[in-house]
Amino acid sequence: MNSAPATALPRPTAAADRAATIRPDRIHITGGTPLTGEVTARGAKNLVPKAMVAALLGSSPSTLRSVPQISDVRIVTGLLEAHGVTVRTGESRDELILDPTSVESADHAEIAAHAGESRIPILLCGPLLHRNGRAFIPDLGGCRIGDRPINFHLDALRAFGAVVEKRSDGLHLHAPQRLRGTKITLPYPSVGSTEQVLLTAVLAEGVTELRNAATEPEIMDLIAVLQKMGAIISVLDNRVIHITGVDRLEGYTHRALPDRLEAASWACAALATGGDILVRGAHQGSMMTFLNVFRRVGGAFEVDDSPLNAGIRFWHPGGPLKALALETDVHPGFQTDWQQPLVVALTQAQGLSIVHETVYEKRLGFTSALISMGAQVQLYRECLGGTPCRFGQRNFMHSAVISGPSKLHAAELEIPDLRAGFSYLIAALAAQGTSTVHGISLINRGYEDFDEKLNALGARFEFGEMTVQ
Ligand code: EPU
């Protein structure tokens, strides 16, 4: 049981709130200045909300450290509180204490208020079925980068013995009896479905065998959280995971792994602007595939793994960047969330680059804005430059040929999704003139204090209205 002094969680949180309340939802960026300096990457956006959900499974409070101030954390806090979990900040603003000892079935209207905000609510199914025997999940939100169905999640929950009913307001689930361990083979190594199975199997009766599981570093960190709680999980070769259900789990104390997606985003910003950025907290082990590509494109990096100052410095060493061919894939492949920031840097590379997006069928749509800024990007339906993927025969523009280098010029941009949003910031920073980027609150979903970090790196920008020079 954690006894750290706790204060009520300040909501809404600093950066996300300023965006939501005070700041207009647009930013004016004047490009042409190399970004130089130091930023810190805190806990991973794609782990922290899931570790918060895992706290629901414990019989005692959990402490989660290195929690970023992002809106996904605020959304999950609201959902957990609606179910009776007390969520407080601990000794510092990046420490959360989650007390699930008074969990109850939430009021439907309170849950429905979170409809369309995020995809995380689907992960509450297993924990709520274990705690309450029933669960109501509102319609999901999340970035519009493809259809993003939840069929794997629902098939897995049914295999555990849950009864799932889709109604107009969302999903209604109940467990007629204790959920039972089962054998599941995912049709595709989906991150969320793997997490769904883990969060459900740990308290199910008997053994669960999961085949074709995703093995992203954030999933390994979630497994570490669950193991601290008392779960028995074995990660075997060939994407097989065995989970032996236990009767009871306790709370955990855990420091979230650093956000490798944020770190790579800053690395691409350094490359595209000809800058030099030290990302404190960035971790080489979870970024090896990215680092190889960064080096092949012509970027330079240096890893500092000293205990107090760990991080990676990324910089543009001068001279032309090199074009390359790459495809996104599940881990250990090139992460799809790295693709969009890298594409901006590739507009500055000499020659023809090919990018084949194999995880989300619509994740290259954001390039239309880059084209409006002068980038030369052509999209194709075919699987270019690599292995044929699920989208090859389905008429999706999921391959891109980028011809560079292009001089980018300022434009008016509307952010369609989180990573595209950060990529537009990078493009505006690399362009000549002053761009206006609309919809920046989306960036707060995954990037803590991005405006303060931009400021620290010497970016020239201001929010809302402005006087054009
Ligand atoms: N899929 C299905 N059916 C399902 C689930 C997934 O067909 O039931 C398909 C999806 O449509 C997609 C593919 O499987 O084509 C991969 O989806 P996955 O389930 O792996 O993605 P996710 O769990 O919804 C998480 C991250 C994403 C990240 C992906 C892939 C979170 C909150 N989101 O999404 O992060 O791109 O894994 O690594 O963890 C981002 O950070 O910008 C972001 C989108």
Side-chain angles (χ1 to χ4, degrees), residues 267-273 290 292-299 316 320-328 334 338-356 364 366-367 370 374-378 399-408 423 426-427 430:
C268 293
L271 204 54
T273 65
F290 176 83
N292 287 338
V293 168
F294 192 78
R295 180 169 277 158
R296 277 168 53 211
V297 177
H316 188 314
L321 297 179
K322 294 171 230 152
L324 51 61
L326 78 93
E327 60 186 14
T328 64
F334 190 87
W338 291 329
Q339 177 261 108
Q340 288 156 303
L342 184 78
V343 162
V344 180
L346 289 178
T347 65
Q348 303 310 303
Q350 192 102 46
L352 289 183
S353 293
I354 297 173
V355 173
H356 179 206
L364 286 169
F366 83 109
T367 53
L370 303 183
Q376 293 180 58
V377 183
Q378 184 73 47
S399 294
V401 174
I402 303 139
S403 167
S406 301
K407 263 197 189 329
L408 299 183
S423 306
I426 302 176

Short mmCIF file of all heavy atoms in Angstrom, two decimals, residues 267-273 290 292-299 316 320-328 334 338-356 364 366-367 370 374-378 399-408 423 426-427 430:
data_model
loop_
_atom_site.label_atom_id
_atom_site.label_comp_id
_atom_site.label_asym_id
_atom_site.label_seq_id
_atom_site.Cartn_x
_atom_site.Cartn_y
_atom_site.Cartn_z
N ALA A 267 13.27 14.01 -32.92
CA ALA A 267 14.43 13.68 -33.77
C ALA A 267 14.15 14.13 -35.21
O ALA A 267 15.02 14.72 -35.87
CB ALA A 267 14.68 12.17 -33.73
N CYS A 268 12.94 13.88 -35.68
CA CYS A 268 12.58 14.28 -37.06
C CYS A 268 12.53 15.79 -37.17
O CYS A 268 12.86 16.36 -38.22
CB CYS A 268 11.24 13.65 -37.47
SG CYS A 268 11.34 11.86 -37.61
N ALA A 269 12.11 16.46 -36.09
CA ALA A 269 12.09 17.93 -36.11
C ALA A 269 13.52 18.47 -36.25
O ALA A 269 13.77 19.43 -36.98
CB ALA A 269 11.43 18.46 -34.84
N ALA A 270 14.47 17.82 -35.56
CA ALA A 270 15.87 18.24 -35.68
C ALA A 270 16.36 18.06 -37.11
O ALA A 270 17.01 18.94 -37.69
CB ALA A 270 16.75 17.44 -34.71
N LEU A 271 15.99 16.92 -37.70
CA LEU A 271 16.46 16.61 -39.06
C LEU A 271 15.87 17.57 -40.09
O LEU A 271 16.57 18.11 -40.94
CB LEU A 271 16.05 15.17 -39.38
CG LEU A 271 16.86 14.43 -40.42
CD1 LEU A 271 18.33 14.43 -40.06
CD2 LEU A 271 16.35 13.00 -40.55
N ALA A 272 14.55 17.79 -39.99
CA ALA A 272 13.87 18.60 -41.01
C ALA A 272 14.26 20.07 -40.93
O ALA A 272 14.22 20.78 -41.94
CB ALA A 272 12.36 18.44 -40.88
N THR A 273 14.62 20.54 -39.73
CA THR A 273 14.94 21.97 -39.59
C THR A 273 16.45 22.22 -39.60
O THR A 273 16.89 23.36 -39.41
CB THR A 273 14.35 22.56 -38.28
OG1 THR A 273 14.99 21.93 -37.15
CG2 THR A 273 12.85 22.38 -38.20
N PHE A 290 14.09 2.73 -35.35
CA PHE A 290 14.05 4.14 -35.76
C PHE A 290 15.47 4.67 -35.95
O PHE A 290 15.76 5.37 -36.94
CB PHE A 290 13.31 4.97 -34.71
CG PHE A 290 13.34 6.44 -35.04
CD1 PHE A 290 12.42 6.97 -35.93
CD2 PHE A 290 14.31 7.28 -34.50
CE1 PHE A 290 12.47 8.31 -36.28
CE2 PHE A 290 14.37 8.63 -34.83
CZ PHE A 290 13.43 9.14 -35.73
N ASN A 292 18.20 3.18 -36.76
CA ASN A 292 18.81 2.70 -38.01
C ASN A 292 18.35 3.53 -39.20
O ASN A 292 19.14 3.92 -40.06
CB ASN A 292 18.44 1.23 -38.26
CG ASN A 292 19.18 0.30 -37.32
OD1 ASN A 292 20.24 0.65 -36.79
ND2 ASN A 292 18.63 -0.88 -37.10
N VAL A 293 17.04 3.80 -39.23
CA VAL A 293 16.49 4.57 -40.35
C VAL A 293 17.01 6.01 -40.29
O VAL A 293 17.40 6.60 -41.30
CB VAL A 293 14.94 4.52 -40.32
CG1 VAL A 293 14.33 5.54 -41.28
CG2 VAL A 293 14.47 3.12 -40.67
N PHE A 294 17.03 6.56 -39.08
CA PHE A 294 17.52 7.94 -38.90
C PHE A 294 18.93 8.07 -39.45
O PHE A 294 19.27 9.03 -40.15
CB PHE A 294 17.47 8.28 -37.41
CG PHE A 294 17.67 9.73 -37.08
CD1 PHE A 294 16.63 10.64 -37.24
CD2 PHE A 294 18.89 10.20 -36.61
CE1 PHE A 294 16.79 11.99 -36.93
CE2 PHE A 294 19.07 11.54 -36.30
CZ PHE A 294 18.01 12.44 -36.46
N ARG A 295 19.75 7.06 -39.16
CA ARG A 295 21.14 7.09 -39.64
C ARG A 295 21.20 6.93 -41.16
O ARG A 295 21.95 7.62 -41.84
CB ARG A 295 21.93 5.97 -38.95
CG ARG A 295 23.37 5.90 -39.35
CD ARG A 295 24.16 4.96 -38.46
NE ARG A 295 24.58 5.61 -37.22
CZ ARG A 295 24.89 4.96 -36.10
NH1 ARG A 295 24.80 3.64 -36.05
NH2 ARG A 295 25.29 5.62 -35.03
N ARG A 296 20.36 6.03 -41.70
CA ARG A 296 20.37 5.82 -43.16
C ARG A 296 19.95 7.07 -43.91
O ARG A 296 20.42 7.34 -45.01
CB ARG A 296 19.44 4.65 -43.52
CG ARG A 296 20.11 3.28 -43.35
CD ARG A 296 19.11 2.14 -43.44
NE ARG A 296 18.30 2.19 -44.65
CZ ARG A 296 17.05 1.75 -44.74
NH1 ARG A 296 16.46 1.24 -43.68
NH2 ARG A 296 16.40 1.83 -45.87
N VAL A 297 19.04 7.85 -43.30
CA VAL A 297 18.60 9.09 -43.97
C VAL A 297 19.69 10.16 -43.92
O VAL A 297 19.66 11.13 -44.68
CB VAL A 297 17.30 9.62 -43.30
CG1 VAL A 297 16.83 10.92 -43.91
CG2 VAL A 297 16.19 8.61 -43.43
N GLY A 298 20.64 9.97 -43.02
CA GLY A 298 21.72 10.95 -42.94
C GLY A 298 21.73 11.73 -41.64
O GLY A 298 22.51 12.67 -41.48
N GLY A 299 20.85 11.37 -40.70
CA GLY A 299 20.85 12.02 -39.39
C GLY A 299 21.96 11.45 -38.51
O GLY A 299 22.45 10.34 -38.75
N HIS A 316 21.25 17.15 -37.34
CA HIS A 316 21.50 17.14 -38.78
C HIS A 316 22.97 17.50 -38.96
O HIS A 316 23.37 18.62 -38.62
CB HIS A 316 20.60 18.19 -39.45
CG HIS A 316 20.62 18.13 -40.94
ND1 HIS A 316 21.78 18.03 -41.68
CD2 HIS A 316 19.62 18.16 -41.85
CE1 HIS A 316 21.50 17.99 -42.97
NE2 HIS A 316 20.19 18.07 -43.10
N PRO A 320 23.48 16.92 -47.77
CA PRO A 320 22.14 16.48 -48.17
C PRO A 320 21.68 15.23 -47.40
O PRO A 320 22.51 14.38 -47.05
CB PRO A 320 22.30 16.17 -49.66
CG PRO A 320 23.75 15.99 -49.88
CD PRO A 320 24.50 16.71 -48.81
N LEU A 321 20.39 15.15 -47.14
CA LEU A 321 19.82 13.92 -46.56
C LEU A 321 19.64 12.92 -47.69
O LEU A 321 19.54 13.29 -48.86
CB LEU A 321 18.47 14.22 -45.90
CG LEU A 321 18.52 15.18 -44.70
CD1 LEU A 321 17.11 15.41 -44.14
CD2 LEU A 321 19.44 14.65 -43.61
N LYS A 322 19.56 11.62 -47.31
CA LYS A 322 19.48 10.57 -48.34
C LYS A 322 18.08 9.97 -48.41
O LYS A 322 17.49 9.67 -47.37
CB LYS A 322 20.50 9.46 -48.01
CG LYS A 322 21.93 9.92 -48.12
CD LYS A 322 22.86 8.87 -47.56
CE LYS A 322 23.80 9.52 -46.58
NZ LYS A 322 24.32 8.73 -45.54
N ALA A 323 17.60 9.77 -49.63
CA ALA A 323 16.29 9.13 -49.81
C ALA A 323 16.40 7.65 -49.44
O ALA A 323 17.49 7.07 -49.48
CB ALA A 323 15.86 9.27 -51.26
N LEU A 324 15.28 7.05 -49.07
CA LEU A 324 15.29 5.61 -48.78
C LEU A 324 13.92 5.00 -49.00
O LEU A 324 12.93 5.71 -49.20
CB LEU A 324 15.78 5.31 -47.36
CG LEU A 324 15.16 6.01 -46.15
CD1 LEU A 324 13.69 5.73 -46.00
CD2 LEU A 324 15.88 5.57 -44.89
N ALA A 325 13.87 3.65 -48.96
CA ALA A 325 12.59 2.94 -49.04
C ALA A 325 12.35 2.29 -47.70
O ALA A 325 13.26 1.68 -47.12
CB ALA A 325 12.66 1.88 -50.13
N LEU A 326 11.14 2.44 -47.18
CA LEU A 326 10.84 1.76 -45.92
C LEU A 326 9.37 1.42 -45.85
O LEU A 326 8.55 2.02 -46.54
CB LEU A 326 11.26 2.61 -44.72
CG LEU A 326 10.41 3.78 -44.27
CD1 LEU A 326 9.43 3.35 -43.20
CD2 LEU A 326 11.30 4.87 -43.70
N GLU A 327 9.07 0.41 -45.02
CA GLU A 327 7.66 0.14 -44.77
C GLU A 327 7.41 0.07 -43.28
O GLU A 327 8.28 -0.36 -42.52
CB GLU A 327 7.19 -1.12 -45.49
CG GLU A 327 7.88 -2.39 -45.13
CD GLU A 327 7.42 -3.54 -46.02
OE1 GLU A 327 6.77 -3.29 -47.05
OE2 GLU A 327 7.70 -4.69 -45.66
N THR A 328 6.23 0.52 -42.88
CA THR A 328 5.87 0.46 -41.47
C THR A 328 5.42 -0.96 -41.16
O THR A 328 4.98 -1.70 -42.05
CB THR A 328 4.73 1.43 -41.14
OG1 THR A 328 3.57 1.04 -41.85
CG2 THR A 328 5.11 2.86 -41.50
N PHE A 334 9.37 -0.95 -38.35
CA PHE A 334 9.35 0.52 -38.22
C PHE A 334 7.93 0.93 -37.82
O PHE A 334 6.97 0.74 -38.58
CB PHE A 334 9.77 1.17 -39.55
CG PHE A 334 9.99 2.65 -39.44
CD1 PHE A 334 11.23 3.15 -39.05
CD2 PHE A 334 8.97 3.55 -39.69
CE1 PHE A 334 11.44 4.52 -38.92
CE2 PHE A 334 9.16 4.92 -39.57
CZ PHE A 334 10.41 5.40 -39.19
N TRP A 338 5.89 6.55 -36.20
CA TRP A 338 7.10 7.29 -36.59
C TRP A 338 7.01 7.79 -38.03
O TRP A 338 7.78 8.64 -38.45
CB TRP A 338 8.34 6.37 -36.50
CG TRP A 338 8.76 5.97 -35.12
CD1 TRP A 338 8.62 6.69 -33.97
CD2 TRP A 338 9.42 4.74 -34.76
NE1 TRP A 338 9.16 5.99 -32.92
CE2 TRP A 338 9.65 4.79 -33.37
CE3 TRP A 338 9.84 3.61 -35.46
CZ2 TRP A 338 10.29 3.75 -32.67
CZ3 TRP A 338 10.46 2.58 -34.77
CH2 TRP A 338 10.69 2.66 -33.39
N GLN A 339 6.10 7.17 -38.78
CA GLN A 339 6.06 7.42 -40.23
C GLN A 339 5.81 8.88 -40.57
O GLN A 339 6.53 9.48 -41.40
CB GLN A 339 5.00 6.48 -40.82
CG GLN A 339 4.74 6.62 -42.30
CD GLN A 339 3.50 7.46 -42.59
OE1 GLN A 339 3.61 8.59 -43.05
NE2 GLN A 339 2.32 6.93 -42.32
N GLN A 340 4.78 9.47 -39.93
CA GLN A 340 4.39 10.82 -40.38
C GLN A 340 5.48 11.87 -40.13
O GLN A 340 5.82 12.63 -41.05
CB GLN A 340 3.05 11.20 -39.73
CG GLN A 340 1.89 10.39 -40.34
CD GLN A 340 0.71 10.28 -39.42
OE1 GLN A 340 0.84 9.80 -38.30
NE2 GLN A 340 -0.45 10.72 -39.87
N PRO A 341 6.07 11.94 -38.93
CA PRO A 341 7.17 12.91 -38.76
C PRO A 341 8.35 12.64 -39.70
O PRO A 341 8.97 13.58 -40.22
CB PRO A 341 7.60 12.73 -37.29
CG PRO A 341 6.45 12.05 -36.63
CD PRO A 341 5.75 11.25 -37.67
N LEU A 342 8.64 11.35 -39.96
CA LEU A 342 9.77 11.05 -40.83
C LEU A 342 9.51 11.51 -42.26
O LEU A 342 10.42 12.01 -42.95
CB LEU A 342 10.10 9.55 -40.81
CG LEU A 342 11.35 9.24 -41.64
CD1 LEU A 342 12.61 9.61 -40.86
CD2 LEU A 342 11.40 7.80 -42.09
N VAL A 343 8.25 11.36 -42.71
CA VAL A 343 7.93 11.77 -44.09
C VAL A 343 8.26 13.25 -44.29
O VAL A 343 8.75 13.64 -45.35
CB VAL A 343 6.46 11.44 -44.43
CG1 VAL A 343 5.99 12.22 -45.65
CG2 VAL A 343 6.29 9.94 -44.67
N VAL A 344 8.02 14.07 -43.27
CA VAL A 344 8.35 15.50 -43.42
C VAL A 344 9.85 15.64 -43.65
O VAL A 344 10.30 16.39 -44.54
CB VAL A 344 7.92 16.30 -42.17
CG1 VAL A 344 8.28 17.77 -42.36
CG2 VAL A 344 6.43 16.15 -41.91
N ALA A 345 10.66 14.91 -42.89
CA ALA A 345 12.11 14.98 -43.08
C ALA A 345 12.49 14.47 -44.47
O ALA A 345 13.40 15.01 -45.13
CB ALA A 345 12.83 14.19 -41.99
N LEU A 346 11.76 13.45 -44.96
CA LEU A 346 12.09 12.88 -46.28
C LEU A 346 11.81 13.86 -47.42
O LEU A 346 12.39 13.74 -48.50
CB LEU A 346 11.32 11.58 -46.52
CG LEU A 346 11.77 10.38 -45.67
CD1 LEU A 346 10.91 9.16 -45.95
CD2 LEU A 346 13.25 10.06 -45.90
N THR A 347 10.95 14.86 -47.18
CA THR A 347 10.74 15.87 -48.24
C THR A 347 12.03 16.67 -48.47
O THR A 347 12.17 17.34 -49.47
CB THR A 347 9.60 16.87 -47.88
OG1 THR A 347 9.99 17.64 -46.74
CG2 THR A 347 8.28 16.17 -47.62
N GLN A 348 12.95 16.59 -47.50
CA GLN A 348 14.22 17.32 -47.63
C GLN A 348 15.37 16.42 -48.09
O GLN A 348 16.52 16.84 -48.17
CB GLN A 348 14.59 17.96 -46.27
CG GLN A 348 13.52 18.90 -45.73
CD GLN A 348 13.07 19.91 -46.78
OE1 GLN A 348 13.88 20.65 -47.32
NE2 GLN A 348 11.77 19.91 -47.09
N ALA A 349 15.05 15.12 -48.36
CA ALA A 349 16.12 14.19 -48.78
C ALA A 349 16.30 14.25 -50.29
O ALA A 349 15.36 14.51 -51.04
CB ALA A 349 15.76 12.78 -48.33
N GLN A 350 17.53 13.94 -50.73
CA GLN A 350 17.88 14.00 -52.15
C GLN A 350 17.43 12.73 -52.86
O GLN A 350 17.90 11.65 -52.51
CB GLN A 350 19.41 14.09 -52.24
CG GLN A 350 19.95 14.43 -53.58
CD GLN A 350 20.35 15.90 -53.61
OE1 GLN A 350 20.99 16.37 -52.69
NE2 GLN A 350 19.97 16.58 -54.66
N GLY A 351 16.49 12.85 -53.80
CA GLY A 351 16.08 11.67 -54.57
C GLY A 351 14.69 11.18 -54.23
O GLY A 351 13.90 11.91 -53.62
N LEU A 352 14.40 9.92 -54.62
CA LEU A 352 13.06 9.37 -54.45
C LEU A 352 13.00 8.46 -53.22
O LEU A 352 13.72 7.46 -53.16
CB LEU A 352 12.68 8.53 -55.67
CG LEU A 352 12.40 9.25 -56.98
CD1 LEU A 352 11.97 8.24 -58.04
CD2 LEU A 352 11.30 10.30 -56.80
N SER A 353 12.14 8.79 -52.28
CA SER A 353 11.91 7.90 -51.13
C SER A 353 10.58 7.18 -51.34
O SER A 353 9.65 7.75 -51.92
CB SER A 353 11.82 8.69 -49.83
OG SER A 353 13.05 9.27 -49.50
N ILE A 354 10.51 5.96 -50.83
CA ILE A 354 9.26 5.19 -50.92
C ILE A 354 8.84 4.81 -49.51
O ILE A 354 9.64 4.27 -48.73
CB ILE A 354 9.45 3.91 -51.76
CG1 ILE A 354 9.83 4.29 -53.19
CG2 ILE A 354 8.18 3.06 -51.75
CD1 ILE A 354 10.20 3.10 -54.05
N VAL A 355 7.59 5.09 -49.17
CA VAL A 355 7.07 4.71 -47.85
C VAL A 355 5.82 3.86 -48.06
O VAL A 355 4.87 4.30 -48.71
CB VAL A 355 6.74 5.96 -47.01
CG1 VAL A 355 6.06 5.56 -45.71
CG2 VAL A 355 8.01 6.75 -46.71
N HIS A 356 5.85 2.64 -47.52
CA HIS A 356 4.72 1.71 -47.63
C HIS A 356 4.11 1.58 -46.23
O HIS A 356 4.75 1.06 -45.33
CB HIS A 356 5.26 0.37 -48.15
CG HIS A 356 4.23 -0.70 -48.30
ND1 HIS A 356 4.54 -2.03 -48.23
CD2 HIS A 356 2.89 -0.64 -48.49
CE1 HIS A 356 3.44 -2.75 -48.39
NE2 HIS A 356 2.43 -1.92 -48.55
N LEU A 364 -1.60 7.92 -44.78
CA LEU A 364 -0.80 8.80 -45.65
C LEU A 364 -1.61 9.99 -46.15
O LEU A 364 -1.07 10.86 -46.84
CB LEU A 364 -0.23 8.00 -46.82
CG LEU A 364 0.92 7.06 -46.47
CD1 LEU A 364 1.24 6.13 -47.64
CD2 LEU A 364 2.17 7.84 -46.06
N PHE A 366 -2.47 12.54 -44.73
CA PHE A 366 -1.96 13.82 -44.22
C PHE A 366 -1.00 14.50 -45.19
O PHE A 366 -0.72 15.69 -45.06
CB PHE A 366 -1.25 13.61 -42.87
CG PHE A 366 0.16 13.16 -42.98
CD1 PHE A 366 1.21 14.01 -42.65
CD2 PHE A 366 0.49 11.90 -43.43
CE1 PHE A 366 2.54 13.62 -42.76
CE2 PHE A 366 1.80 11.49 -43.57
CZ PHE A 366 2.82 12.34 -43.23
N THR A 367 -0.50 13.74 -46.18
CA THR A 367 0.51 14.31 -47.09
C THR A 367 -0.07 15.39 -48.01
O THR A 367 0.69 16.18 -48.58
CB THR A 367 1.17 13.21 -47.96
OG1 THR A 367 0.12 12.47 -48.60
CG2 THR A 367 2.01 12.27 -47.12
N LEU A 370 1.20 18.58 -46.96
CA LEU A 370 2.62 18.79 -47.31
C LEU A 370 2.73 19.21 -48.78
O LEU A 370 3.56 20.07 -49.13
CB LEU A 370 3.43 17.52 -47.05
CG LEU A 370 3.40 16.95 -45.62
CD1 LEU A 370 4.31 15.74 -45.51
CD2 LEU A 370 3.81 18.03 -44.61
N GLY A 374 4.40 22.62 -50.98
CA GLY A 374 5.46 22.52 -51.99
C GLY A 374 6.17 21.19 -52.02
O GLY A 374 7.07 20.99 -52.84
N ALA A 375 5.77 20.25 -51.13
CA ALA A 375 6.42 18.93 -51.16
C ALA A 375 5.93 18.16 -52.38
O ALA A 375 4.81 18.37 -52.85
CB ALA A 375 6.07 18.16 -49.89
N GLN A 376 6.79 17.28 -52.88
CA GLN A 376 6.38 16.45 -54.02
C GLN A 376 6.13 15.04 -53.52
O GLN A 376 7.07 14.28 -53.26
CB GLN A 376 7.47 16.45 -55.07
CG GLN A 376 7.65 17.83 -55.72
CD GLN A 376 8.73 17.79 -56.75
OE1 GLN A 376 8.67 17.02 -57.71
NE2 GLN A 376 9.75 18.60 -56.53
N VAL A 377 4.86 14.72 -53.35
CA VAL A 377 4.48 13.41 -52.82
C VAL A 377 3.38 12.85 -53.72
O VAL A 377 2.41 13.53 -54.03
CB VAL A 377 3.91 13.52 -51.38
CG1 VAL A 377 3.57 12.14 -50.83
CG2 VAL A 377 4.87 14.25 -50.47
N GLN A 378 3.58 11.60 -54.15
CA GLN A 378 2.56 10.93 -54.97
C GLN A 378 2.11 9.69 -54.22
O GLN A 378 2.94 8.91 -53.76
CB GLN A 378 3.21 10.56 -56.31
CG GLN A 378 2.29 9.93 -57.32
CD GLN A 378 1.32 10.94 -57.94
OE1 GLN A 378 1.72 12.02 -58.35
NE2 GLN A 378 0.04 10.58 -57.96
N SER A 399 0.72 3.74 -50.20
CA SER A 399 2.15 3.86 -50.51
C SER A 399 2.42 5.28 -50.99
O SER A 399 1.56 5.88 -51.65
CB SER A 399 2.58 2.90 -51.62
OG SER A 399 2.46 1.56 -51.20
N ALA A 400 3.59 5.80 -50.65
CA ALA A 400 3.93 7.16 -51.08
C ALA A 400 5.31 7.18 -51.71
O ALA A 400 6.22 6.49 -51.25
CB ALA A 400 3.91 8.11 -49.87
N VAL A 401 5.43 7.97 -52.77
CA VAL A 401 6.75 8.25 -53.33
C VAL A 401 7.02 9.74 -53.09
O VAL A 401 6.21 10.60 -53.47
CB VAL A 401 6.81 7.93 -54.84
CG1 VAL A 401 8.15 8.37 -55.42
CG2 VAL A 401 6.60 6.44 -55.05
N ILE A 402 8.11 10.02 -52.42
CA ILE A 402 8.44 11.40 -52.05
C ILE A 402 9.69 11.79 -52.81
O ILE A 402 10.72 11.12 -52.71
CB ILE A 402 8.70 11.49 -50.52
CG1 ILE A 402 7.47 10.96 -49.77
CG2 ILE A 402 9.03 12.91 -50.09
CD1 ILE A 402 7.81 10.11 -48.60
N SER A 403 9.57 12.87 -53.54
CA SER A 403 10.71 13.31 -54.34
C SER A 403 11.28 14.59 -53.74
O SER A 403 10.56 15.55 -53.48
CB SER A 403 10.19 13.54 -55.77
OG SER A 403 11.14 14.22 -56.50
N GLY A 404 12.57 14.59 -53.45
CA GLY A 404 13.12 15.76 -52.78
C GLY A 404 14.51 16.10 -53.27
O GLY A 404 15.05 15.43 -54.15
N PRO A 405 15.10 17.14 -52.73
CA PRO A 405 14.52 18.00 -51.68
C PRO A 405 13.58 19.06 -52.26
O PRO A 405 13.77 19.50 -53.39
CB PRO A 405 15.75 18.68 -51.06
CG PRO A 405 16.75 18.72 -52.18
CD PRO A 405 16.48 17.55 -53.07
N SER A 406 12.56 19.42 -51.46
CA SER A 406 11.61 20.46 -51.88
C SER A 406 11.74 21.64 -50.93
O SER A 406 11.86 21.45 -49.72
CB SER A 406 10.18 19.96 -51.76
OG SER A 406 9.97 18.85 -52.54
N LYS A 407 11.65 22.84 -51.50
CA LYS A 407 11.58 24.03 -50.64
C LYS A 407 10.15 24.14 -50.15
O LYS A 407 9.24 24.28 -50.95
CB LYS A 407 11.93 25.28 -51.46
CG LYS A 407 13.36 25.71 -51.33
CD LYS A 407 13.50 27.15 -51.82
CE LYS A 407 14.92 27.63 -51.93
NZ LYS A 407 15.89 27.10 -51.04
N LEU A 408 9.94 24.03 -48.84
CA LEU A 408 8.57 24.14 -48.32
C LEU A 408 8.25 25.61 -48.10
O LEU A 408 9.10 26.39 -47.65
CB LEU A 408 8.44 23.36 -47.01
CG LEU A 408 8.71 21.85 -47.08
CD1 LEU A 408 8.48 21.19 -45.72
CD2 LEU A 408 7.86 21.16 -48.15
N SER A 423 3.54 16.48 -37.16
CA SER A 423 4.27 16.56 -38.44
C SER A 423 4.04 17.91 -39.10
O SER A 423 4.95 18.46 -39.73
CB SER A 423 3.81 15.44 -39.38
OG SER A 423 3.94 14.22 -38.71
N ILE A 426 6.30 20.37 -37.60
CA ILE A 426 7.66 20.23 -38.14
C ILE A 426 7.74 20.86 -39.53
O ILE A 426 8.68 21.61 -39.84
CB ILE A 426 8.08 18.74 -38.24
CG1 ILE A 426 8.02 18.04 -36.89
CG2 ILE A 426 9.48 18.62 -38.84
CD1 ILE A 426 8.32 16.55 -36.95
N ALA A 427 6.73 20.58 -40.35
CA ALA A 427 6.75 21.12 -41.72
C ALA A 427 6.74 22.65 -41.68
O ALA A 427 7.48 23.31 -42.42
CB ALA A 427 5.55 20.59 -42.50
N ALA A 430 10.02 23.99 -40.82
CA ALA A 430 11.03 23.83 -41.88
C ALA A 430 10.74 24.74 -43.07
O ALA A 430 11.59 24.89 -43.96
CB ALA A 430 11.06 22.37 -42.34
#
